[in-house]
Amino acid sequence: MKPAAFLSVVRMPKPLQLYDNFTRTLRPFAPLQPGGDVGLYTCGPTVYDYQHIGNYRTFLFEDVLKRVLEWNGYRVRHVMNITDVGHLTSDADTGEDKMEKGARRTGKTAWEIAQLYTDAFVADLKQLNIEDPTVLCRATDHIREQIEFIADIEKNGFAYRTADGIYFDTAKQPDYGHLARLDVKGQEAGKRVDIGEKRSPTDFALWKFSPPGEMRQMEWDSPWGRGFPGWHIECSAMAQKYLGDYFDIHCGGEDHIPVHHTNEIAQTEARVGTRLANFWLHGYFLLSNDAKMAKSAGEFLRIQFLVDRGYDPLAYRYLCLTAHYRGQLNFTWDALDSAAIALDRMRNGVHALRDAGAASPDTALIDRFTDEINDDLNVPRALAVAWEALRGDLPPGVKRATLLKFDRIFGLGLAEWVPKLEAVPDAVTVLAEARLAARRAKDWAEADRLRTELHGAGWEMEDRPDGFVLKKRGQVRPPTEP
Ligand code: AMP
Ligand code: ZN
């Protein structure tokens, strides 16, 4: 009798799970639409100034999320807005419009600075290898959509008028503030803040009137009077236009939880009855000296500042990959140095495998890697798997293919990277040519002496059939863990 066939248990990688802040749970991710399309909305920059490296920590987390969705076979429709109007200096609808203030600071028009900082933002995204959104949309290009949205909110009974604008009546929504678990009643009872004509401290502006007798640079006619939209309405309006009434994932930084995203949800619920997105994910802050890094504080680090100090922008990307997105990260120069060294080692390690023949990635490692990234984007642990692959004893071709596949998530450009060859000083070329002549004359003692002299000058000579190549010594480090 034949032995019973073994039922081999095929181990499948873990399915994707994401931490949803709306339900405060880790939930298995499944797209709302059959067919593999995923709608993703991420709040973009307010373009009254450059973005600081803290902002980019959030954009990098969102980029990794998008890559992880793609890794799992989904097609991501990614919409990002550009806030170029309506964001007041206080998130509570008071103070000046950040754009008009930025215009005064720089002596340019609000329109000019919007363009200037949008261009700078897009250039930074490229430097950080952040994939372009499918749609990048400006608030000022969608004023009509915002007005229509507010008109519906008003029609549905969720808006009221004050002397300075049209406000959202948060008391009309029993579940207002659920995302942030806001204690609305507690705020009501406290009422220590001057709320002007607002009925409740949590009410927020949908449309602000231009101050009487004052000409704003950015203002439009509306059914309620000349003015400009509040900050939150742009995201509700553009998300609905490009992704529909209810889509898969909405992201931003953790500061968006209590005000901006809470109010986006309130508006969309008032118009179409949904909470906008099925999953709400937030990137935690980059701190500097253990305090929030903020543009409004006037002092902040830009990507260009890192580049001016000789860092590769991707060293900052690597640094962000070393921390889980749901924990704050304190920026230090030492941490950036360590990230730069680790990135250099990984690049050199992969470059050293460039001549290995074509091969397929190692399935077991890919599965382990997938387990980590699918566990709510655990990229730090996925990086550890990559180091293990680089240090391990897989055949070179398999090793290379595996690491390049991992790089679809890391986005470190490992496939394209080549060491920068430094300009060779003339004296070094003379030594190298003398050594080549000695070798050709089979004068091995002289060839060795010249090699030692080259080493002393900090250079390495690699012999080739048709001559030699010169490399700076110590440029290629072994692929060990940082
Ligand atoms: P803003 O230009 O102020 O609208 O911010 C752009 C994005 O950066 C938003 O998603 C913010 O939540 C996020 N953000 C702001 N400050 C930080 C920080 N220090 N660390 C991480 N993300 C931040
Ligand atoms: Zn937004």
Side-chain angles (χ1 to χ4, degrees), residues 33-46:
Q33 305 289 336
D37 287 311
V38 169
L40 169 69
Y41 188 95
T42 61
C43 292
T46 309

PDB file of all heavy atoms in Angstrom, residues 33-46:
ATOM      1  N   GLN A  33     -13.762  48.834  -2.738  1.00  0.00           N
ATOM      2  CA  GLN A  33     -14.227  48.447  -4.077  1.00  0.00           C
ATOM      3  C   GLN A  33     -13.626  47.107  -4.478  1.00  0.00           C
ATOM      4  O   GLN A  33     -12.430  46.914  -4.273  1.00  0.00           O
ATOM      5  CB  GLN A  33     -13.748  49.463  -5.121  1.00  0.00           C
ATOM      6  CG  GLN A  33     -14.136  50.897  -4.842  1.00  0.00           C
ATOM      7  CD  GLN A  33     -15.615  51.126  -5.030  1.00  0.00           C
ATOM      8  OE1 GLN A  33     -16.273  50.380  -5.764  1.00  0.00           O
ATOM      9  NE2 GLN A  33     -16.156  52.118  -4.343  1.00  0.00           N
ATOM     10  N   PRO A  34     -14.410  46.227  -5.074  1.00  0.00           N
ATOM     11  CA  PRO A  34     -13.778  45.009  -5.593  1.00  0.00           C
ATOM     12  C   PRO A  34     -12.885  45.393  -6.773  1.00  0.00           C
ATOM     13  O   PRO A  34     -13.113  46.420  -7.411  1.00  0.00           O
ATOM     14  CB  PRO A  34     -14.977  44.167  -6.051  1.00  0.00           C
ATOM     15  CG  PRO A  34     -16.107  45.120  -6.215  1.00  0.00           C
ATOM     16  CD  PRO A  34     -15.838  46.321  -5.370  1.00  0.00           C
ATOM     17  N   GLY A  35     -11.851  44.606  -7.043  1.00  0.00           N
ATOM     18  CA  GLY A  35     -11.014  44.884  -8.217  1.00  0.00           C
ATOM     19  C   GLY A  35      -9.646  45.428  -7.885  1.00  0.00           C
ATOM     20  O   GLY A  35      -8.817  45.582  -8.778  1.00  0.00           O
ATOM     21  N   GLY A  36      -9.377  45.728  -6.624  1.00  0.00           N
ATOM     22  CA  GLY A  36      -8.006  46.082  -6.251  1.00  0.00           C
ATOM     23  C   GLY A  36      -7.635  47.550  -6.313  1.00  0.00           C
ATOM     24  O   GLY A  36      -6.472  47.890  -6.155  1.00  0.00           O
ATOM     25  N   ASP A  37      -8.604  48.439  -6.558  1.00  0.00           N
ATOM     26  CA  ASP A  37      -8.286  49.867  -6.529  1.00  0.00           C
ATOM     27  C   ASP A  37      -8.483  50.406  -5.121  1.00  0.00           C
ATOM     28  O   ASP A  37      -9.488  50.116  -4.478  1.00  0.00           O
ATOM     29  CB  ASP A  37      -9.177  50.646  -7.502  1.00  0.00           C
ATOM     30  CG  ASP A  37      -8.769  50.387  -8.936  1.00  0.00           C
ATOM     31  OD1 ASP A  37      -7.565  50.488  -9.216  1.00  0.00           O
ATOM     32  OD2 ASP A  37      -9.648  50.050  -9.767  1.00  0.00           O
ATOM     33  N   VAL A  38      -7.506  51.219  -4.688  1.00  0.00           N
ATOM     34  CA  VAL A  38      -7.567  51.782  -3.340  1.00  0.00           C
ATOM     35  C   VAL A  38      -7.515  53.299  -3.442  1.00  0.00           C
ATOM     36  O   VAL A  38      -6.661  53.858  -4.130  1.00  0.00           O
ATOM     37  CB  VAL A  38      -6.375  51.272  -2.492  1.00  0.00           C
ATOM     38  CG1 VAL A  38      -6.256  52.034  -1.181  1.00  0.00           C
ATOM     39  CG2 VAL A  38      -6.509  49.779  -2.227  1.00  0.00           C
ATOM     40  N   GLY A  39      -8.414  53.979  -2.751  1.00  0.00           N
ATOM     41  CA  GLY A  39      -8.410  55.447  -2.715  1.00  0.00           C
ATOM     42  C   GLY A  39      -7.678  55.926  -1.466  1.00  0.00           C
ATOM     43  O   GLY A  39      -7.972  55.489  -0.359  1.00  0.00           O
ATOM     44  N   LEU A  40      -6.712  56.817  -1.669  1.00  0.00           N
ATOM     45  CA  LEU A  40      -5.896  57.318  -0.554  1.00  0.00           C
ATOM     46  C   LEU A  40      -5.850  58.837  -0.627  1.00  0.00           C
ATOM     47  O   LEU A  40      -5.495  59.401  -1.670  1.00  0.00           O
ATOM     48  CB  LEU A  40      -4.473  56.747  -0.671  1.00  0.00           C
ATOM     49  CG  LEU A  40      -3.391  57.323   0.237  1.00  0.00           C
ATOM     50  CD1 LEU A  40      -3.633  56.948   1.697  1.00  0.00           C
ATOM     51  CD2 LEU A  40      -1.997  56.824  -0.187  1.00  0.00           C
ATOM     52  N   TYR A  41      -6.209  59.498   0.463  1.00  0.00           N
ATOM     53  CA  TYR A  41      -6.110  60.962   0.517  1.00  0.00           C
ATOM     54  C   TYR A  41      -5.138  61.340   1.621  1.00  0.00           C
ATOM     55  O   TYR A  41      -5.272  60.872   2.759  1.00  0.00           O
ATOM     56  CB  TYR A  41      -7.481  61.585   0.810  1.00  0.00           C
ATOM     57  CG  TYR A  41      -7.487  63.093   0.684  1.00  0.00           C
ATOM     58  CD1 TYR A  41      -7.873  63.724  -0.495  1.00  0.00           C
ATOM     59  CD2 TYR A  41      -7.104  63.896   1.758  1.00  0.00           C
ATOM     60  CE1 TYR A  41      -7.870  65.104  -0.608  1.00  0.00           C
ATOM     61  CE2 TYR A  41      -7.093  65.285   1.654  1.00  0.00           C
ATOM     62  CZ  TYR A  41      -7.482  65.875   0.463  1.00  0.00           C
ATOM     63  OH  TYR A  41      -7.474  67.250   0.349  1.00  0.00           O
ATOM     64  N   THR A  42      -4.153  62.173   1.280  1.00  0.00           N
ATOM     65  CA  THR A  42      -3.203  62.620   2.299  1.00  0.00           C
ATOM     66  C   THR A  42      -3.178  64.146   2.295  1.00  0.00           C
ATOM     67  O   THR A  42      -3.100  64.763   1.229  1.00  0.00           O
ATOM     68  CB  THR A  42      -1.778  62.088   2.026  1.00  0.00           C
ATOM     69  OG1 THR A  42      -1.307  62.579   0.770  1.00  0.00           O
ATOM     70  CG2 THR A  42      -1.742  60.571   2.006  1.00  0.00           C
ATOM     71  N   CYS A  43      -3.284  64.741   3.481  1.00  0.00           N
ATOM     72  CA  CYS A  43      -3.280  66.205   3.549  1.00  0.00           C
ATOM     73  C   CYS A  43      -1.897  66.727   3.189  1.00  0.00           C
ATOM     74  O   CYS A  43      -0.888  66.275   3.725  1.00  0.00           O
ATOM     75  CB  CYS A  43      -3.663  66.670   4.949  1.00  0.00           C
ATOM     76  SG  CYS A  43      -5.381  66.297   5.292  1.00  0.00           S
ATOM     77  N   GLY A  44      -1.881  67.674   2.278  1.00  0.00           N
ATOM     78  CA  GLY A  44      -0.606  68.175   1.760  1.00  0.00           C
ATOM     79  C   GLY A  44      -0.108  69.396   2.512  1.00  0.00           C
ATOM     80  O   GLY A  44      -0.606  69.733   3.586  1.00  0.00           O
ATOM     81  N   PRO A  45       0.868  70.079   1.936  1.00  0.00           N
ATOM     82  CA  PRO A  45       1.512  71.188   2.637  1.00  0.00           C
ATOM     83  C   PRO A  45       0.719  72.487   2.579  1.00  0.00           C
ATOM     84  O   PRO A  45      -0.048  72.709   1.647  1.00  0.00           O
ATOM     85  CB  PRO A  45       2.804  71.364   1.831  1.00  0.00           C
ATOM     86  CG  PRO A  45       2.417  70.981   0.438  1.00  0.00           C
ATOM     87  CD  PRO A  45       1.441  69.850   0.598  1.00  0.00           C
ATOM     88  N   THR A  46       0.916  73.328   3.579  1.00  0.00           N
ATOM     89  CA  THR A  46       0.432  74.702   3.508  1.00  0.00           C
ATOM     90  C   THR A  46       1.608  75.508   2.964  1.00  0.00           C
ATOM     91  O   THR A  46       2.673  75.546   3.573  1.00  0.00           O
ATOM     92  CB  THR A  46       0.028  75.214   4.912  1.00  0.00           C
ATOM     93  OG1 THR A  46      -0.846  74.255   5.495  1.00  0.00           O
ATOM     94  CG2 THR A  46      -0.677  76.551   4.813  1.00  0.00           C
TER      95      THR A  46
END
